[in-house]
Amino acid sequence: MPSWVKNNGLLLVNAGLFAAFFGGMVISGVASYNEDQLAHGEEAVSLLAYVQSGHFAEAVFENWESEFLQMAMYVVLTVFLFQKGSSESKPIGKQAEQDEDPRQAKITAKTPWPVRKGGWILVVYEHSLSGLLVILFLFSILMHAVGGTEAYSEEQLAHGQPGVSLWEFMGTSQFWFESFQNWQSEFLAVAVLVGASVFLRERGSPESKPVAEPHRETGA
């Protein structure tokens, strides 16, 4: 196995799984959409037309928004909050490596450029991970609203009702139901992982404590 593939295997496999499942979503999505179209006496659409539709955009981005919200909140909450005994928590009552001030770090040629540069660039870099996730969340929820507006208006018009604007759709119960049904599942999954990692183990995984580690020990 080439060293580059080995060194980036986790990213590559997850990217590959994303591409495979995304393709499956597109294929099954257009089939489901066309079944509904034909059932209502409408014409079926091509795959290209479907991926440009509000129905597709809404389905994609309502899921993406929940994922990025979950990850952004998790990154931020783990800065301040702890869970005794969990591998997902920083140690309680002692300094963690992640808390070290980069301004006091020894600067070398391998030190990230923003740390070497300092100033406002370093301030931004210190919070760049959560910043990126928040931006992706906001973009996703906007695209969910845009796609949902089109899909909702299409359904309204099919039933002889007027279409809605973006802001009107964001004020509907449907928009918030679609959001909340995804958000709740994301935080349930996080809570299960945080709690279960206190007592359960997965040998070889960095998300687990060592198998023989006592339950009360906090952190990986």
Side-chain angles (χ1 to χ4, degrees), residues 149-171:
T149 299
E150 182 180 335
Y152 187 82
S153 294
E154 183 180 300
E155 185 175 347
Q156 287 285 95
L157 294 172
H159 290 85
Q161 301 294 322
V164 297
S165 68
L166 176 68
W167 293 114
E168 288 173 332
F169 175 67
M170 292 184 72

Side-chain angles (χ1 to χ4, degrees), residues 33-206:
Y33 183 79
N34 282 334
E35 287 175 3
D36 190 60
Q37 286 286 96
L38 295 173
H40 289 84
E42 304 287 343
E43 291 185 1
V45 301
S46 67
L47 188 146
L48 180 60
Y50 174 68
V51 298
Q52 296 174 328
S53 70
H55 183 277
F56 176 74
E58 181 180 37
V60 170
F61 289 106
E62 73 176 71
N63 284 281
W64 286 16
E65 78 179 47
S66 63
E67 299 294 339
F68 291 128
L69 173 64
Q70 177 221 65
M71 296 307 297
M73 290 294 293
Y74 191 55
V75 167
V76 172
L77 290 176
T78 52
V79 174
F80 308 102
L81 302 179
F82 305 89
Q83 178 57 53
K84 185 175 178 60
S86 176
S87 63
E88 297 297 310
S89 170
K90 292 188 297 183
I92 300 174
K94 58 182 179 180
Q95 189 79 1
E97 292 181 355
Q98 296 89 340
D99 295 324
E100 294 176 358
D101 189 341
R103 294 161 188 80
Q104 299 175 2
K106 181 180 179 181
I107 304 299
T108 69
K110 294 182 179 180
T111 301
W113 175 77
V115 180
R116 289 186 275 122
K117 185 68 175 178
W120 68 267
I121 293 177
L122 175 54
V123 174
V124 172
Y125 185 65
E126 285 180 304
H127 306 288
S128 56
L129 180 57
S130 60
L132 172 63
L133 294 169
V134 168
I135 290 171
L136 290 172
F137 163 69
L138 294 175
F139 171 75
S140 297
I141 199 170
L142 174 62
M143 294 305 297
H144 169 199
V146 170
T149 299
E150 182 180 335
Y152 187 82
S153 294
E154 183 180 300
E155 185 175 347
Q156 287 285 95
L157 294 172
H159 290 85
Q161 301 294 322
V164 297
S165 68
L166 176 68
W167 293 114
E168 288 173 332
F169 175 67
M170 292 184 72
T172 64
S173 57
Q174 179 170 325
F175 173 76
W176 291 106
F177 173 69
E178 291 170 350
S179 293
F180 287 139
Q181 70 174 333
N182 286 292
W183 296 0
Q184 56 86 21
S185 64
E186 298 299 333
F187 288 102
L188 172 63
V190 170
V192 170
L193 178 60
V194 170
S197 68
V198 175
F199 305 102
L200 305 181
R201 308 288 188 267
E202 184 59 43
R203 185 179 178 187
S205 175

